[in-house]
Every structure is written in structure tokens, then in C-alpha cells.
Amino acid sequence: MKLKFLGTGTSQGVPVIGCHCEVCTSADLHDKRYRSSALITTDSGGKILIDCGPDFRMQMLDNNEEHVDAVLLTHEHNDHVIGLDDMRPLIFRSGQNMPLFCNHRVGAEVRHRFPYAFADVKYPGAPSFDMHEIRDNFELCGTLVEPINVMHYKIPIYGYKFKKLAYITDASFISETEKENLQDLDFLILNCIRKEELHNAHFILPQVLDLFEELKPRNMFLTHISHHLGTHSDTQADLPQNVYLAYDGLELTF
Ligand SMILES: [Zn+2]
Ligand SMILES: [Zn+2]
Ligand SMILES: [Zn+2]
């Protein structure tokens, strides 16, 4: 299977509009980060999108991607769902509703955010979704998807695990029980917003490095990165072996 990072930035993206810091003015393409999202290609060729934020349209165009079989949502914040309306070209071309998978609360929020997509009588041109509220592991495109429960400040949200890869974004706490499900990973993808100053909704670098020591994944990739983490090249140079900053367009095979 493959996972491609379509976006690795925090909610405002990088560069931040109007910011003239070293990261936001960097010419290095690794410092241009769309809002966080990833596209999984399964062994059977299925395409599973994780999160659909405001950059979804450009992420598909930039990566020459044109097909998505289903969307897994981690949580309801706008940087993870507000691109769902831009799935219309895919929905119209296939003639099928787009399947969405998420927890019950996120499902209710998506219906609230996009009421016209769920109306009994729909305006022509509205998107259409099939909502699947999930609690346990399930099969999708011939692969097992395992939701991982993590906390994002006070809200429980999902990470997702496929084989020996786990994708966790927007977490600030992982319980001991869920850590059991994160042993023996080839790839742990984890959110990391900045270097210092604790954040109540997101892990920061020292916490992420502690989790690397504790969970011992063979490789760890950091995502949901803000301009406060420093430039890609400077930050990467200081990371321990087998810990990497993800960047937009990076593809992992697992
Ligand atoms: Zn986010
Ligand atoms: Zn900046
Ligand atoms: Zn969030």
C-alpha cells in the first residue's frame, strides 16, 4: 500500500497569509504546506482519502489525482472537512454518493456544515454523501481500517491504522490502552505543531520525541506542522535517526 501526504500544514497552512518569518518566506518547497490530508492507495488500487480540508481541490490537481473511493474523517474542524463540497466533480463523474466514514459526533457536524448535501430535495449541483458512522475496525477497499481513539484537547477524535502504519493528526493525548495498538509499527505518523510552549490541543516536538522513544516505531513522520516548528531543513537536521518531517507530496510504501 501507499500513503501520500497531500498536506502537512496546520490549520492556517504554511506560509501564513501576511507572515514574513523565515519559514513563511522560505523558497524551499518543503516549507509550503497545504492543510493536513493524506491519500492511501490500497493493494487493490482503492483510493482512501484521510480528511478533506480547504486545499483539497489543489491537492488533487497538483498530484494528478482524480479518483477517491471513500473519505475517512479524523474530526470535524474546518481544516479537515471544509473541502467536502469540492468533491462534486468526483461525485458527478462517478454518479455515486461519496462514502464518508467518521464517528457519530463528526457525522452530525458534517450534516450541520453541509445541510444542502443531505436535504430531501436537493438543489441540482449539490454534492451527495453516504454517511457511515463507525466505532470499530472495518474493511474498506480490501483493507482493514482500524480507528484509533485519541484526544484533541477535550474532544475524542480518530486516528486510523492500516497494517503497520498509523496516521494520527490533531492529537494532544493518547491513552495507555490505545498505545497498545501502536506497538510494532513500521510507520507512525503524528501531529507536531511547534518546537516549544505546550499547546492544549496539539503535540509539540518534545512530546512527539517522547512518544517515539516510548512506542518505538521503526519510522516516525511528523505532520500538521506550523511555521513555529522552523524551516524544514533546519528542523530535520536536528531530529533523531528515523524521525522525519513529512512534506507535501511525500509518498510512503508500507
Ligand atoms: Zn487540524
Ligand atoms: Zn510565518
Ligand atoms: Zn483540529
Side-chain angles (χ1 to χ4, degrees), residues 142-158:
T143 195
L144 183 71
V145 181
E146 303 176 56
I148 303 286
N149 290 289
V150 296
M151 293 301 289
H152 181 24
Y153 187 41
K154 290 185 177 171
I155 62 169
I157 70 170
Y158 281 159

PDB file of all heavy atoms in Angstrom, residues 142-158:
ATOM      1  N   GLY A 142     -10.769  -3.506   0.350  1.00  0.00           N
ATOM      2  CA  GLY A 142      -9.966  -4.713   0.537  1.00  0.00           C
ATOM      3  C   GLY A 142      -8.921  -4.622   1.632  1.00  0.00           C
ATOM      4  O   GLY A 142      -8.063  -5.502   1.727  1.00  0.00           O
ATOM      5  N   THR A 143      -8.979  -3.577   2.450  1.00  0.00           N
ATOM      6  CA  THR A 143      -8.002  -3.462   3.538  1.00  0.00           C
ATOM      7  C   THR A 143      -8.719  -3.205   4.863  1.00  0.00           C
ATOM      8  O   THR A 143      -9.816  -2.637   4.886  1.00  0.00           O
ATOM      9  CB  THR A 143      -6.953  -2.370   3.222  1.00  0.00           C
ATOM     10  OG1 THR A 143      -5.848  -2.533   4.097  1.00  0.00           O
ATOM     11  CG2 THR A 143      -7.527  -0.979   3.390  1.00  0.00           C
ATOM     12  N   LEU A 144      -8.090  -3.633   5.961  1.00  0.00           N
ATOM     13  CA  LEU A 144      -8.683  -3.404   7.276  1.00  0.00           C
ATOM     14  C   LEU A 144      -8.333  -1.991   7.747  1.00  0.00           C
ATOM     15  O   LEU A 144      -7.168  -1.596   7.716  1.00  0.00           O
ATOM     16  CB  LEU A 144      -8.143  -4.447   8.270  1.00  0.00           C
ATOM     17  CG  LEU A 144      -8.746  -4.367   9.667  1.00  0.00           C
ATOM     18  CD1 LEU A 144     -10.207  -4.836   9.653  1.00  0.00           C
ATOM     19  CD2 LEU A 144      -7.948  -5.214  10.658  1.00  0.00           C
ATOM     20  N   VAL A 145      -9.336  -1.250   8.168  1.00  0.00           N
ATOM     21  CA  VAL A 145      -9.126   0.091   8.727  1.00  0.00           C
ATOM     22  C   VAL A 145      -9.424   0.022  10.220  1.00  0.00           C
ATOM     23  O   VAL A 145     -10.507  -0.416  10.611  1.00  0.00           O
ATOM     24  CB  VAL A 145     -10.065   1.127   8.062  1.00  0.00           C
ATOM     25  CG1 VAL A 145      -9.825   2.511   8.643  1.00  0.00           C
ATOM     26  CG2 VAL A 145      -9.895   1.125   6.549  1.00  0.00           C
ATOM     27  N   GLU A 146      -8.455   0.442  11.042  1.00  0.00           N
ATOM     28  CA  GLU A 146      -8.640   0.400  12.493  1.00  0.00           C
ATOM     29  C   GLU A 146      -8.665   1.819  13.055  1.00  0.00           C
ATOM     30  O   GLU A 146      -7.636   2.502  13.045  1.00  0.00           O
ATOM     31  CB  GLU A 146      -7.479  -0.374  13.150  1.00  0.00           C
ATOM     32  CG  GLU A 146      -7.324  -1.786  12.627  1.00  0.00           C
ATOM     33  CD  GLU A 146      -6.107  -2.484  13.222  1.00  0.00           C
ATOM     34  OE1 GLU A 146      -6.006  -2.565  14.462  1.00  0.00           O
ATOM     35  OE2 GLU A 146      -5.244  -2.935  12.437  1.00  0.00           O
ATOM     36  N   PRO A 147      -9.817   2.298  13.509  1.00  0.00           N
ATOM     37  CA  PRO A 147      -9.844   3.618  14.149  1.00  0.00           C
ATOM     38  C   PRO A 147      -9.052   3.592  15.463  1.00  0.00           C
ATOM     39  O   PRO A 147      -9.139   2.617  16.213  1.00  0.00           O
ATOM     40  CB  PRO A 147     -11.329   3.875  14.426  1.00  0.00           C
ATOM     41  CG  PRO A 147     -12.066   2.883  13.579  1.00  0.00           C
ATOM     42  CD  PRO A 147     -11.153   1.697  13.446  1.00  0.00           C
ATOM     43  N   ILE A 148      -8.286   4.634  15.698  1.00  0.00           N
ATOM     44  CA  ILE A 148      -7.517   4.777  16.940  1.00  0.00           C
ATOM     45  C   ILE A 148      -8.101   5.976  17.687  1.00  0.00           C
ATOM     46  O   ILE A 148      -8.204   7.070  17.121  1.00  0.00           O
ATOM     47  CB  ILE A 148      -6.027   5.053  16.629  1.00  0.00           C
ATOM     48  CG1 ILE A 148      -5.415   3.956  15.755  1.00  0.00           C
ATOM     49  CG2 ILE A 148      -5.224   5.265  17.911  1.00  0.00           C
ATOM     50  CD1 ILE A 148      -5.142   2.654  16.460  1.00  0.00           C
ATOM     51  N   ASN A 149      -8.485   5.768  18.951  1.00  0.00           N
ATOM     52  CA  ASN A 149      -9.083   6.866  19.731  1.00  0.00           C
ATOM     53  C   ASN A 149      -7.997   7.711  20.370  1.00  0.00           C
ATOM     54  O   ASN A 149      -7.194   7.202  21.154  1.00  0.00           O
ATOM     55  CB  ASN A 149      -9.964   6.281  20.838  1.00  0.00           C
ATOM     56  CG  ASN A 149     -11.207   5.647  20.270  1.00  0.00           C
ATOM     57  OD1 ASN A 149     -12.097   6.344  19.800  1.00  0.00           O
ATOM     58  ND2 ASN A 149     -11.256   4.327  20.277  1.00  0.00           N
ATOM     59  N   VAL A 150      -7.991   8.995  20.028  1.00  0.00           N
ATOM     60  CA  VAL A 150      -7.052   9.921  20.666  1.00  0.00           C
ATOM     61  C   VAL A 150      -7.837  11.170  21.088  1.00  0.00           C
ATOM     62  O   VAL A 150      -8.960  11.384  20.638  1.00  0.00           O
ATOM     63  CB  VAL A 150      -5.889  10.319  19.706  1.00  0.00           C
ATOM     64  CG1 VAL A 150      -5.053   9.095  19.350  1.00  0.00           C
ATOM     65  CG2 VAL A 150      -6.387  11.016  18.449  1.00  0.00           C
ATOM     66  N   MET A 151      -7.228  11.967  21.968  1.00  0.00           N
ATOM     67  CA  MET A 151      -7.898  13.193  22.404  1.00  0.00           C
ATOM     68  C   MET A 151      -7.255  14.407  21.749  1.00  0.00           C
ATOM     69  O   MET A 151      -6.027  14.496  21.650  1.00  0.00           O
ATOM     70  CB  MET A 151      -7.795  13.341  23.930  1.00  0.00           C
ATOM     71  CG  MET A 151      -8.558  12.296  24.726  1.00  0.00           C
ATOM     72  SD  MET A 151     -10.335  12.254  24.375  1.00  0.00           S
ATOM     73  CE  MET A 151     -10.867  13.794  25.136  1.00  0.00           C
ATOM     74  N   HIS A 152      -8.109  15.337  21.310  1.00  0.00           N
ATOM     75  CA  HIS A 152      -7.700  16.604  20.696  1.00  0.00           C
ATOM     76  C   HIS A 152      -8.240  17.681  21.639  1.00  0.00           C
ATOM     77  O   HIS A 152      -9.423  18.025  21.558  1.00  0.00           O
ATOM     78  CB  HIS A 152      -8.335  16.673  19.308  1.00  0.00           C
ATOM     79  CG  HIS A 152      -8.029  17.874  18.488  1.00  0.00           C
ATOM     80  ND1 HIS A 152      -6.914  18.650  18.647  1.00  0.00           N
ATOM     81  CD2 HIS A 152      -8.706  18.418  17.431  1.00  0.00           C
ATOM     82  CE1 HIS A 152      -6.932  19.620  17.729  1.00  0.00           C
ATOM     83  NE2 HIS A 152      -8.005  19.506  16.999  1.00  0.00           N
ATOM     84  N   TYR A 153      -7.410  18.115  22.599  1.00  0.00           N
ATOM     85  CA  TYR A 153      -7.891  18.902  23.732  1.00  0.00           C
ATOM     86  C   TYR A 153      -9.011  18.098  24.388  1.00  0.00           C
ATOM     87  O   TYR A 153      -8.733  17.011  24.869  1.00  0.00           O
ATOM     88  CB  TYR A 153      -8.313  20.307  23.296  1.00  0.00           C
ATOM     89  CG  TYR A 153      -8.662  21.247  24.438  1.00  0.00           C
ATOM     90  CD1 TYR A 153      -7.907  21.268  25.611  1.00  0.00           C
ATOM     91  CD2 TYR A 153      -9.755  22.105  24.332  1.00  0.00           C
ATOM     92  CE1 TYR A 153      -8.231  22.121  26.655  1.00  0.00           C
ATOM     93  CE2 TYR A 153     -10.085  22.963  25.371  1.00  0.00           C
ATOM     94  CZ  TYR A 153      -9.330  22.967  26.532  1.00  0.00           C
ATOM     95  OH  TYR A 153      -9.660  23.810  27.559  1.00  0.00           O
ATOM     96  N   LYS A 154     -10.271  18.586  24.335  1.00  0.00           N
ATOM     97  CA  LYS A 154     -11.317  17.860  25.056  1.00  0.00           C
ATOM     98  C   LYS A 154     -12.168  16.972  24.163  1.00  0.00           C
ATOM     99  O   LYS A 154     -13.133  16.376  24.646  1.00  0.00           O
ATOM    100  CB  LYS A 154     -12.207  18.854  25.808  1.00  0.00           C
ATOM    101  CG  LYS A 154     -11.457  19.494  26.967  1.00  0.00           C
ATOM    102  CD  LYS A 154     -12.335  20.391  27.799  1.00  0.00           C
ATOM    103  CE  LYS A 154     -11.559  20.946  28.976  1.00  0.00           C
ATOM    104  NZ  LYS A 154     -12.277  21.992  29.703  1.00  0.00           N
ATOM    105  N   ILE A 155     -11.885  16.944  22.871  1.00  0.00           N
ATOM    106  CA  ILE A 155     -12.750  16.107  22.030  1.00  0.00           C
ATOM    107  C   ILE A 155     -12.044  14.807  21.622  1.00  0.00           C
ATOM    108  O   ILE A 155     -10.883  14.819  21.238  1.00  0.00           O
ATOM    109  CB  ILE A 155     -13.307  16.857  20.783  1.00  0.00           C
ATOM    110  CG1 ILE A 155     -12.207  17.333  19.846  1.00  0.00           C
ATOM    111  CG2 ILE A 155     -14.207  18.008  21.184  1.00  0.00           C
ATOM    112  CD1 ILE A 155     -12.744  17.826  18.500  1.00  0.00           C
ATOM    113  N   PRO A 156     -12.799  13.682  21.697  1.00  0.00           N
ATOM    114  CA  PRO A 156     -12.244  12.421  21.196  1.00  0.00           C
ATOM    115  C   PRO A 156     -12.303  12.405  19.668  1.00  0.00           C
ATOM    116  O   PRO A 156     -13.349  12.722  19.087  1.00  0.00           O
ATOM    117  CB  PRO A 156     -13.176  11.357  21.796  1.00  0.00           C
ATOM    118  CG  PRO A 156     -14.405  12.056  22.244  1.00  0.00           C
ATOM    119  CD  PRO A 156     -14.136  13.527  22.307  1.00  0.00           C
ATOM    120  N   ILE A 157     -11.197  12.097  19.056  1.00  0.00           N
ATOM    121  CA  ILE A 157     -11.143  12.061  17.589  1.00  0.00           C
ATOM    122  C   ILE A 157     -10.486  10.748  17.159  1.00  0.00           C
ATOM    123  O   ILE A 157      -9.967  10.010  17.987  1.00  0.00           O
ATOM    124  CB  ILE A 157     -10.390  13.288  17.004  1.00  0.00           C
ATOM    125  CG1 ILE A 157      -8.889  13.219  17.314  1.00  0.00           C
ATOM    126  CG2 ILE A 157     -10.985  14.591  17.550  1.00  0.00           C
ATOM    127  CD1 ILE A 157      -8.066  14.259  16.566  1.00  0.00           C
ATOM    128  N   TYR A 158     -10.510  10.493  15.860  1.00  0.00           N
ATOM    129  CA  TYR A 158      -9.923   9.256  15.344  1.00  0.00           C
ATOM    130  C   TYR A 158      -8.580   9.495  14.668  1.00  0.00           C
ATOM    131  O   TYR A 158      -8.431  10.447  13.888  1.00  0.00           O
ATOM    132  CB  TYR A 158     -10.842   8.612  14.298  1.00  0.00           C
ATOM    133  CG  TYR A 158     -12.014   7.830  14.857  1.00  0.00           C
ATOM    134  CD1 TYR A 158     -13.129   7.583  14.057  1.00  0.00           C
ATOM    135  CD2 TYR A 158     -12.003   7.318  16.149  1.00  0.00           C
ATOM    136  CE1 TYR A 158     -14.214   6.858  14.544  1.00  0.00           C
ATOM    137  CE2 TYR A 158     -13.087   6.598  16.633  1.00  0.00           C
ATOM    138  CZ  TYR A 158     -14.190   6.377  15.833  1.00  0.00           C
ATOM    139  OH  TYR A 158     -15.252   5.662  16.304  1.00  0.00           O
TER     140      TYR A 158
END
